[in-house]
Amino acid sequence: MTVPLSILDLAPIPSGGTAGDAVRNTVDLARRAESFGYRRYWLAEHHFAAGVASSAPAVLIGLVAAATSRIRVGSGAVQLGHQTPLAVVEQFGLLDAAHPGRIDLGLGRSGQRRAELTRAVSRPPAHEGGGGGRVVDGLLIPPPFDFSALLKVPHLAFQASLLQQPGARTPDFADQLDEVQAFLAGTYTSADGLAAHAVPGEGADVELWILGSSGGQSAQVAGERGLPFAANYHVSPSSVLEAVEAYREAFKPSAVLEEPYVVVSADAVVAGDEATARELAKPYGLWVRSIRTGQGAVPYPSPEEAGAHVWTEEDRRLVADRVDTQFVGDPETVADGLRVLQRVTGADELLITTITHDHADRVRSYELLAQAWH
């Protein structure tokens, strides 16, 4: 089955480039993606990363939607722990007012998820002892990454504190989602019966999505509310099958969906031949290393910069799950790999993220993939 392809963009800043370059590249790529036939174009939310310009997805969505005419544009995902449901609904209501019927509101957990991971630091990792991954019907499922060392980096907690008002508490994700839906429907009331209305936002024709990296609350809530779900193979490949299974098991038909609808993300780099694709993808491991050592995503290195890095065994272990599950090669090779991902996960749509140092190579990668896919 040939399913639609979509794009997840982080607005990457290449080494030697600026945030302005990244934003212009994002707008240009979105225009091209529309002509290539991609279904939707999502913008991620990341903070305190020198190599990523997607700190305000609603702003980028507005720029991209204004530069395109047909492709759906949305968030992958707004982190609800950093904003109130009302603020999110107002932002996306405004986007829908300007670009009706084209806006996706993807929601994810943030502060609540960090707290859970922090509590898990005291527990031994699930793959303690160096156990390997497994291959499921041709798809690599690597061992889970151990976040415990990363969560002990002092400045990460400091950065997280800057994303909320002092003393603020992140509510339960399910409760936040219920508030978002109530504001969109115009049915929000307080515990004592007072009504509140989001303008713009109430009645907005936005498509609501939940994004998740495991079989935890995000997958459960998406299923129970009958909403479409996006599972992250490119960020958390070890738990993608667990996530889609939990979502499907929890699914209940709703006014939105009669049956489960799953998007699965994948990281891919495509070029005219295998050797060129491998060269373009060379910086990816070094970039992932910068994230997992607590630096935050560095400006995306060039292949030459990546080639100068001296890799230790510890470095390689740190990024192995992400590097080993990146789809790299000529168009048919990558398309075949993505078909395996789609078949094993049962995905109804694939969400492709591609980062290269040179913008032209990134555009060409998406073009070649679209041609091989259809």
Side-chain angles (χ1 to χ4, degrees), residues 343-357:
R343 185 186 71 246
V344 175
T345 61
D348 300 288
E349 188 174 332
L350 294 179
L351 185 67
I352 310 302
T353 181
T354 296
I355 306 179
T356 59
H357 182 266

Side-chain angles (χ1 to χ4, degrees), residues 52-83:
V52 171
S54 59
S55 57
V59 177
L60 283 176
I61 289 167
L63 295 174
V64 167
T68 55
S69 59
R70 300 181 309 278
I71 195 169
R72 295 193 66 88
V73 189
S75 54
V78 168
Q79 300 302 321
L80 267 182
H82 305 156
Q83 301 184 65

